[in-house]
Amino acid sequence: MNKLYQEKHELWLKITFASFSINDEEIKTRLYEFSLIAFRHMKWIGDDVLSSGNDYNYNRDMTLYKKETTFEVIEDLVVAIKTIQTKYANTVLGNRVKTDDEYLLEYLSQVTANSENNTPITSFNMERKWLDKNLAQDQIDALTLFLFEESYKEYELILVYAFMQARTDSVIQFNVFQDLIDESHFHLKSFGNMMAKMGILALPRELHELTYVIKDLEKFVKDGIAEEEAAKEMCRELSEAIKDEELSKFFDFINYQESYHIELMGKLL
């Protein structure tokens, strides 16, 4: 079960980043919906591991290979799904997860049945341009740094909060963790899609165990509030530095959301 959890973690990432990498909005949206289902699979498998008296971690062994077409992305995804299909136990949970994956395979076969869906992938071309806007190089550099740092932060927070949520008996803590997980999913999606549009899509680095095995919850929350404050400052600086009204308003929007995250984390204290 521990190995299965790792493989499901990797599959969640594969589906999520496949969604980010593909330009077609309909395929992108459907894949992201499937990625959220895969994340729920992780939660259920993790609960199963814990209820059996075992534990799991966030180790992973995967690479995000640069693809040039939509079908190349899908073919890689199909291989990963078919590989994990043989690992599910013949249980109620195992059958639920397996049939969800089978439907994802069916959807992917429908996509590849239409050759018009095989559009180019530009998510890895390293152009570092923001749409058709002519941003100055220092603004592009600041945006690039922000996206790499914040996409890792959101990935980290999703996993850390999920790890803690699975181990609390407090309804208040559980609900706060769920809100923070949902918010971080949205932020990761936003930043991942922006990275793809700039041609710099990349996996966030792997988490060290010390990141999510929390010994002192109060210290963790206080450090988390400080991290949110730093993220707010980065958003504020980007909003002021980038001479594009649409982007500036987006970073103001994220800034305000980070303010509420601080309030949520205050509840944990």
Side-chain angles (χ1 to χ4, degrees):
M1 289 297 291
N2 298 6
K3 180 64 175 174
L4 177 62
Y5 187 89
Q6 176 181 330
E7 292 186 40
K8 198 70 202 190
H9 174 195
E10 293 169 359
L11 183 58
W12 165 61
L13 282 174
K14 283 180 182 291
I15 301 170
T16 301
F17 278 77
S19 164
F20 298 160
S21 70
I22 289 173
N23 294 322
D24 183 280
E25 286 298 329
E26 182 178 349
I27 300 172
K28 175 188 288 292
T29 299
R30 288 299 304 279
L31 281 180
Y32 189 74
E33 290 170 352
F34 280 114
S35 80
L36 294 180
I37 292 174
F39 188 79
R40 288 201 295 278
H41 291 172
M42 280 177 63
K43 179 181 183 296
W44 297 336
I45 292 169
D47 288 344
D48 213 28
V49 172
L50 295 177
S51 66
S52 67
N54 294 311
D55 209 343
Y56 58 85
N57 56 46
Y58 289 134
N59 294 347
R60 66 177 208 232
D61 181 21
M62 63 175 293
T63 303
L64 184 64
Y65 293 105
K66 297 181 179 181
K67 306 295 184 182
E68 295 185 357
T69 67
T70 297
F71 282 10
E72 286 181 14
V73 172
I74 291 176
E75 287 162 6
D76 186 54
L77 200 50
V78 167
V79 170
I81 297 166
K82 288 183 175 179
T83 299
I84 200 174
Q85 283 284 78
T86 62
K87 312 291 178 63
Y88 299 134
N90 186 23
T91 61
V92 173
L93 172 59
N95 291 331
R96 161 60 198 265
V97 173
K98 185 173 184 179
T99 52
D100 282 354
D101 282 3
E102 286 172 349
Y103 185 69
L104 173 53
L105 287 171
E106 171 60 25
Y107 170 71
L108 294 175
S109 71
Q110 292 173 16
V111 172
T112 54
N114 183 353
S115 60
E116 293 183 3
N117 289 327
N118 197 20
T119 52
I121 295 292
T122 58
S123 305
F124 307 105
N125 64 16
M126 300 299 290
E127 281 196 358
R128 293 214 304 145
K129 291 177 59 179
W130 178 247
L131 304 179
D132 58 349
K133 308 294 178 67
N134 189 27
L135 297 182
Q137 190 59 50
D138 62 334
Q139 296 173 40
I140 287 290
D141 291 344
L143 181 57
T144 299
L145 179 62
F146 175 87
L147 291 174
F148 272 97
E149 290 190 353
E150 291 301 296
S151 61
Y152 169 75
K153 189 197 91 169
E154 300 302 342
Y155 167 68
E156 174 192 62
L157 291 179
I158 289 169
L159 295 186
V160 172
Y161 293 140
F163 195 86
M164 296 167 70
Q165 184 188 53
R167 291 159 176 80
T168 183
D169 294 323
S170 163
V171 174
I172 292 175
Q173 287 188 22
F174 187 94
N175 288 337
V176 170
F177 289 142
Q178 188 60 55
D179 285 338
L180 290 168
I181 290 167
D182 292 342
E183 294 279 283
S184 288
H185 272 298
F186 172 74
H187 287 189
L188 178 62
K189 176 185 177 183
S190 299
F191 301 149
N193 282 324
M194 290 176 74
M195 293 175 79
K197 288 176 181 177
M198 293 180 68
I200 56 172
L201 186 61
L203 278 178
R205 62 187 181 275
E206 188 176 343
L207 269 63
H208 190 281
E209 189 175 85
L210 293 178
T211 307
Y212 55 87
V213 179
I214 307 302
K215 303 296 185 183
D216 184 340
L217 180 57
E218 184 174 352
K219 181 179 184 302
F220 166 78
V221 175
K222 288 180 177 178
D223 289 347
I225 289 173
E227 190 174 22
E228 295 288 1
E229 292 283 7
K232 280 174 54 63
E233 182 62 19
M234 285 189 72
C235 286
R236 187 192 64 77
E237 290 176 357
L238 269 175
S239 179
E240 292 179 355
I242 292 181
K243 308 305 179 186
D244 179 82
E245 185 177 1
E246 183 181 346
L247 273 177
S248 292
K249 287 183 176 180
F250 171 73
F251 287 117
D252 287 340
F253 162 66
I254 296 295
N255 186 7
Y256 298 141
Q257 291 195 337
E258 301 287 12
S259 295
Y260 192 65
H261 295 173
I262 293 171
E263 291 299 312
L264 288 172
M265 296 181 80
K267 289 184 179 182
L268 295 177
L269 288 178

